[in-house]
Amino acid sequence: MSRTFVSAALLILLSTPALAQVRGEGVFERSDVDKDGNVTREEFIAARGDHFAKLDRNSDGYIDSSDVPERLAKRRQLKGGNDAMGAQFDADGDKKVSKEEFVNGPTKLFDRADANKDNVLDSTELAAAKEAAKAAGDNWRNRKRQ
Ligand SMILES: [Ca+2]
Ligand SMILES: [Ca+2]
Ligand SMILES: [Ca+2]
């Protein structure tokens, strides 16, 4: 299997949370474990543990190309793109993402939503993030229509 394929596959898997957000599936809502309406950085990172388990379909402790459903890989691999996202999570560059790498990976989504940088997403920030996700989703749909 080529390096390019592995990178593309990683990209597909790791971009899933971002895609889910674009589709308004509520990444942050699911992270609010104690349902107090705020999402702390700790909750966000803890939720990643669960997310990892779902992405690691063959439960070998790593996310890599073998976890990409074949149907999805076939549909997406030819689109290429960059592997920046995979590289961000793959700290040691072995082309696999361990649970530790995933959980401790970049928190761009959270950082972007945390407007006042207090490491808590309050209801205002969550509402703004939802709006932004909706707008991104609309853009994405408009682009597809063209
Ligand atoms: Ca795996
Ligand atoms: Ca790695
Ligand atoms: Ca905040």
Side-chain angles (χ1 to χ4, degrees), residues 21-81:
Q21 203 211 9
V22 166
R23 290 182 191 143
E25 286 170 17
V27 171
F28 293 129
E29 277 95 333
R30 278 203 306 276
S31 303
D32 182 16
V33 178
D34 60 8
K35 302 289 175 213
D36 66 349
N38 298 332
V39 176
T40 63
R41 182 175 291 274
E42 284 74 26
E43 282 179 325
F44 182 72
I45 289 173
R48 280 189 164 177
D50 296 341
H51 203 146
F52 183 90
K54 289 201 189 90
L55 291 176
D56 180 16
R57 293 162 62 96
N58 62 3
S59 302
D60 66 352
Y62 293 95
I63 302 171
D64 61 19
S65 58
S66 57
D67 296 309
V68 183
E70 208 171 313
R71 200 160 42 89
L72 188 67
K74 277 197 179 123
R75 191 145 38 100
R76 295 284 298 277
Q77 68 172 302
L78 295 175
K79 289 189 179 168

Side-chain angles (χ1 to χ4, degrees), residues 113-122 125:
D114 185 17
N116 64 358
K117 306 292 173 212
D118 66 350
N119 288 327
V120 179
L121 302 184
D122 58 31
E125 287 168 337

Side-chain angles (χ1 to χ4, degrees), residues 5-6 11 18 27 35 37 60 67 73 76 97 113 130-131 142:
F5 175 74
V6 172
L11 178 67
V27 171
K35 302 289 175 213
D60 66 352
D67 296 309
R76 295 284 298 277
V97 176
K130 218 172 180 177
E131 274 304 302
N142 289 339

Side-chain angles (χ1 to χ4, degrees), residues 90-98 101:
D90 183 18
D92 63 5
D94 64 354
K95 299 288 169 197
K96 315 187 277 194
V97 176
S98 66
E101 285 174 333

